[in-house]
Amino acid sequence: MKNNKKLFKSALKYIPLASQTYSKSYKVHFKNISPYFLKKGNGCYVWDEDNKKYIDFICGLLPIIIGYNCKQINKAIIKQLNKGITFSLPTKIETQLSKVLCKLIPSAEMVRFGKNGSDVTAAAIRLSRAYTKRNNVIFCGYHGWHDWYIGKTKMSIGVPEKIKKLTTSFKYNDINQLEKILKKNPKKYAAIIMEPVYDIEPKSNFLKKVRLLSKKYGCLLIFDEIVTGFRVHLKGAQHYYGVTPDVSCFGKAMANGMPISAIVGKKKIMKNFDKIFFSTTFGGETLSMVAALETIKYLKSKKVINSIKKFSKYLINDINNILKNNKLDHIFILKGVWWRPSFGVRKGINKKYLIALRRNLIINKLLIGNSFNFCFAHTDKKIYKKILFKIKNALKETKSNNNFENLKIYKDGVRS
Ligand SMILES: Cc1ncc(COP(=O)(O)O)c(C=O)c1O
């Protein structure tokens, strides 16, 4: 940890949080165990500043869908780099990528681009307000750092009270709660914005019912597919579950780590961006655009999402067997959906077990957050064996050393 620690000290001097992303910062990692800085990646491997090698199950917080340092994508980026990055006028690449998205995604008839997921979720909210001439929105899930959303979370510092009041949350799979909110003020809401699926699947036609309610109460249905896009299905969770929203937002995995996001939707609605101000200097930056085109080509030709699905199902099955064979299944469970499973503890079991397990996974050189975030490079057979071996070790170590007295849970995160 020598270099990691030295760099961390220096970063803290110059960078508040010592990170640009909360979920990559020291606040969510283990002191003296998790690496603080990574310097390179290849496939599903990453190296920290002390040259320790990890199998990465964070995948950059989900943008990495193929793997680090993908030669095919690098080649496309370098080819474009030699022509130019950011120009003084739009380029035809914007239209090329828009056409590809419109062909793929059920709700897409027109497209605008941003750099981060938050750019396009904020644009979607402004669009819904302009389109419906209403101010309030209902949400379910995480949607980024902008005032309209973050004001309703624990991290609302700096957001005016007036803004906070415009947003209401509802619980996933609770259609009655959503209907109650809408019924109380039938003409108040501009949009229902939601992650179509997170770590539990929709029950009892939940998404279809949300679609119906949004029509009944005249608000736009916005699917935030920043996580699910290019992971659950190439055509989005909207295709996978057969529910087409009015507007949807994509980002993360769409360019295997290059910074790009997209808002797509029906022409009649999207046309309003002619007058709504959604404009950024780097919105048409070409390297990310060609990376997105190449990523989509790669995902299609190598059937990446299917491979990850198969891999995940094997992994879930094998981990469940490890739990059973080592008499750990009364403590741990593997829960969630195939594209993002996670460890949990059984009812009544001390949650510190989970923290201890995560710590032991990292000690075994599996870099992991709350869930297994997969990429295509994980699906290699040799790597699969290594992954299982490391998980088995971490589970056994957690069982044999269940003295958690020194494990502290701080208010601002988890550290050992
Ligand atoms: C579902 C969802 N929406 C929006 C965002 C915001 O994206 P970004 O961090 O790229 O602004 C995230 C980021 O984690 C997300 O998970």
Side-chain angles (χ1 to χ4, degrees), residues 311-321 334 337-338 341:
F311 162 85
S312 170
K313 291 199 164 170
Y314 277 119
L315 188 70
I316 291 171
N317 189 49
D318 283 345
I319 292 178
N320 277 326
N321 283 336
L334 197 64
V337 281
W338 64 260

Side-chain angles (χ1 to χ4, degrees), residues 116-119 121 142-145 195 224 226-227 252:
N116 286 287
S118 307
D119 291 355
T121 53
Y142 175 78
H143 305 295
W145 74 272
E195 292 187 68
D224 176 343
I226 305 288
V227 166
K252 299 239 190 215

Side-chain angles (χ1 to χ4, degrees), residues 170-187:
F170 74 103
K171 253 173 55 197
Y172 196 76
N173 272 334
D174 192 342
I175 199 70
N176 293 334
Q177 185 196 23
L178 178 64
E179 182 149 32
K180 222 164 136 188
I181 296 167
L182 287 162
K183 225 179 198 171
K184 204 167 164 199
N185 292 291
K187 294 196 173 149

Side-chain angles (χ1 to χ4, degrees), residues 7 15 20 77 140 195 268 301 383:
L7 283 166
I15 304 170
Q20 312 310 316
I77 294 172
C140 175
E195 292 187 68
K268 176 174 92 173
S301 68
I383 293 174

